[in-house]
Amino acid sequence: DLTPKLQIETGLVYTFLSSETTNKAEGFVNTEKVQFHYLGIPINLNYTLLSINKLNLFVTAGAMIEKDLDGEIKYSEAKNIVSEMNTGYANETSSNINQKNPQFSLAGGVGINYPIYKKTNLFGKIGGRYYINANHEYKTYYSDEKFGLDIQLGIKFNF
């Protein structure tokens, strides 16, 4: 708490992003699957708008920095060769990848907070997040969608 109505909030956020692209042609299938595990640190300011009994309604604004911890790309292709013997081949490769730059985002929204024991609270937030262009080599949700819906539910510990 900075003041009775203004709080600063931080924590850890884990995000898993996965995408798969498949190209098909007659007798040929090519698939690319990309997966990333991100860890982020948000910093938010929360302002309590309304308190009814123990339930608090607040608005929030802040930023987050995220970095991928692990990434993998898998390619697979299969081809059927139509001939007298109906032969073909399949090939699969994978390699570890990473994004060179961290991902920054800005967020805002509204939430509710309900104390359950001393400095332990149940909370829920809904809002929006804007992903700043990080010029990533591998396309993800962050590069394809500049705005995203942000929904969080959990337990908050106040210090």
Side-chain angles (χ1 to χ4, degrees):
D1 292 342
L2 300 175
T3 70
K5 289 193 169 228
L6 186 66
Q7 301 85 34
I8 191 166
E9 172 186 79
T10 189
L12 291 174
V13 175
Y14 167 78
T15 303
F16 175 70
L17 298 177
S18 179
S19 65
E20 186 171 324
T21 305
T22 301
N23 296 312
K24 293 181 180 181
E26 188 174 327
F28 182 79
V29 177
N30 177 302
T31 302
E32 176 183 284
K33 187 172 188 175
V34 178
Q35 296 180 329
F36 281 105
H37 300 268
Y38 280 87
L39 193 60
I41 300 174
I43 297 185
N44 299 313
L45 283 176
N46 298 338
Y47 183 78
T48 303
L49 293 174
L50 180 65
S51 293
I52 302 171
N53 294 328
K54 293 181 178 183
L55 185 69
N56 298 313
L57 175 67
F58 63 91
V59 293
T60 184
M64 183 163 56
I65 182 171
E66 293 178 272
K67 182 65 177 119
D68 59 303
L69 302 175
D70 184 43
E72 182 180 40
I73 189 166
K74 293 179 185 178
Y75 296 103
S76 65
E77 61 183 22
K79 182 167 179 141
N80 291 328
I81 300 170
V82 179
S83 66
E84 293 176 10
M85 300 181 74
N86 285 329
T87 61
Y89 71 89
N91 184 25
E92 188 170 303
T93 60
S94 68
S95 51
N96 291 332
I97 56 175
N98 68 345
Q99 305 282 29
K100 292 180 182 171
N101 302 321
Q103 179 65 54
F104 292 95
S105 61
L106 303 173
V110 297
I112 57 172
N113 185 43
Y114 185 80
I116 55 175
Y117 181 75
K118 294 188 180 179
K119 294 189 175 233
T120 305
N121 301 273
L122 292 176
F123 83 99
K125 286 197 293 189
I126 187 167
R129 184 166 295 279
Y130 173 74
Y131 301 102
I132 297 170
N133 185 359
N135 295 316
H136 287 148
E137 179 179 353
Y138 301 97
K139 299 291 183 190
T140 67
Y141 177 84
Y142 295 150
S143 56
D144 292 347
E145 301 291 332
K146 292 299 174 198
F147 292 95
L149 180 63
D150 192 28
I151 300 173
Q152 297 180 17
L153 299 171
I155 298 173
K156 185 187 298 188
F157 303 100
N158 292 345
F159 298 100

